[in-house]
Amino acid sequence: SLELCKQKKQYVSDFTQLAEILNSLGCLSFLLGHLGTAIKLLRESTQVLVAVQNRSIYVGTRQLRQTVCLNLSVVSSNLGYIQLCIKDYSAAITAFEEALVHQQNLLDDSHETLIATMDHLIIANFLAGNKQKSLQIMERLYDASVCLYGKDDSRCGLLVKRMSLIENNGIDYKGKIERHLQVPGQQKVPPPKPSTRSLSGKRL
């Protein structure tokens, strides 16, 4: 796919579509338990999108550049989700941070896609033992949730409870998260099926 990107006669939109196909195949591979294939496909999708992004400096509209950035964030989030499941928390944090960098430049903090990314970054930092960073993102997520749902919404109350659990080093909470984040095929109960576009439940 990278060789195709180097061919100047190809349309930029073709490669954007190719990257989306690679991302979808990566998600499906994960759901089938083929982790190595999933990670390889998602990384290749990222490489294609970066090539498109580089070309968009000279060719393409502002809308295209924004679309590529958002697609990059989705693929990064998918990689981060897989890395959470295999307990590679450092890599997961990096992936979610990269996704958030793209999203916060294009979306409001109250956008559901940005909220989902912040939520997963909270989990990754918490499981990695980065309590302070986890709480910092959670405070930002709380403010965004208040704007989106209203202060009296149950989801805001749940965030307050989660902050309390993290502040008190909730070991049981950590165990519950780790039991939920398992690779398909290794779970006693089948996990809910995510979109082939986003493993972590995001929608653009």
Side-chain angles (χ1 to χ4, degrees), residues 73 76-77 79-81 83 90-100 117:
S73 77
S76 292
S77 293
L79 274 169
Y81 188 81
Q83 286 153 344
S90 178
I93 290 169
T94 298
F96 289 128
E97 286 178 343
E98 289 176 356
L100 197 56
T117 302

Side-chain angles (χ1 to χ4, degrees), residues 25 38 48 61 67 71 76 80 84 94-95 100 104 109 118 145 149 160 169 183 198:
L25 289 172
V48 172
T61 64
T67 298
N71 286 349
S76 292
L84 267 183
T94 298
L100 197 56
Q104 69 184 5
D109 270 10
M118 286 193 287
S145 297
Y149 308 120
V160 173
N169 298 315
V183 177
S198 176

Side-chain angles (χ1 to χ4, degrees), residues 23-85:
N23 176 61
S24 296
L25 289 172
C27 294
L28 290 171
S29 296
F30 170 76
L31 291 174
L32 293 172
H34 306 311
L35 298 187
T37 300
I39 291 172
K40 179 181 177 181
L41 287 166
L42 291 173
R43 285 177 175 165
E44 190 168 356
S45 178
T46 298
Q47 291 174 327
V48 172
L49 286 169
V50 169
V52 173
Q53 189 176 49
N54 291 338
R55 185 181 294 187
S56 73
I57 295 172
Y58 302 99
V59 180
T61 64
R62 178 178 176 81
Q63 183 179 5
L64 171 66
R65 290 189 285 273
Q66 291 177 339
T67 298
V68 171
C69 283
L70 287 174
N71 286 349
L72 272 168
S73 77
V74 170
V75 178
S76 292
S77 293
N78 287 340
L79 274 169
Y81 188 81
I82 293 174
Q83 286 153 344
L84 267 183
C85 290

Side-chain angles (χ1 to χ4, degrees), residues 19-188:
E20 291 180 356
I21 292 170
L22 290 167
N23 176 61
S24 296
L25 289 172
C27 294
L28 290 171
S29 296
F30 170 76
L31 291 174
L32 293 172
H34 306 311
L35 298 187
T37 300
I39 291 172
K40 179 181 177 181
L41 287 166
L42 291 173
R43 285 177 175 165
E44 190 168 356
S45 178
T46 298
Q47 291 174 327
V48 172
L49 286 169
V50 169
V52 173
Q53 189 176 49
N54 291 338
R55 185 181 294 187
S56 73
I57 295 172
Y58 302 99
V59 180
T61 64
R62 178 178 176 81
Q63 183 179 5
L64 171 66
R65 290 189 285 273
Q66 291 177 339
T67 298
V68 171
C69 283
L70 287 174
N71 286 349
L72 272 168
S73 77
V74 170
V75 178
S76 292
S77 293
N78 287 340
L79 274 169
Y81 188 81
I82 293 174
Q83 286 153 344
L84 267 183
C85 290
I86 62 176
K87 300 184 179 182
D88 188 351
Y89 301 135
S90 178
I93 290 169
T94 298
F96 289 128
E97 286 178 343
E98 289 176 356
L100 197 56
V101 165
H102 290 297
Q103 291 168 7
Q104 69 184 5
N105 289 329
L106 297 170
L107 305 172
D108 293 331
D109 270 10
S110 58
H111 195 286
E112 61 178 6
T113 297
L114 197 89
I115 286 177
T117 302
M118 286 193 287
D119 196 30
H120 282 86
L121 183 56
I122 288 166
I123 292 171
N125 273 303
F126 175 65
L127 294 176
N130 301 328
K131 176 180 171 181
Q132 189 58 37
K133 286 187 176 180
S134 186
L135 288 170
Q136 287 173 332
I137 296 294
M138 186 162 281
E139 288 174 4
R140 179 178 171 184
L141 178 57
Y142 176 78
D143 291 339
S145 297
V146 168
C147 290
L148 186 62
Y149 308 120
K151 189 175 181 179
D152 296 329
D153 189 271
S154 60
R155 283 163 286 197
C156 296
L158 181 60
L159 281 171
V160 173
K161 183 178 179 181
R162 287 174 63 190
M163 279 190 274
S164 178
L165 287 169
I166 291 174
E167 285 174 345
N168 294 306
N169 298 315
I171 297 173
D172 292 339
Y173 183 51
K174 181 178 180 180
K176 184 177 181 180
I177 293 173
E178 289 179 331
R179 286 192 296 273
H180 177 73
L181 292 168
Q182 294 182 21
V183 177
Q186 298 179 4
Q187 296 168 309
K188 294 181 180 179

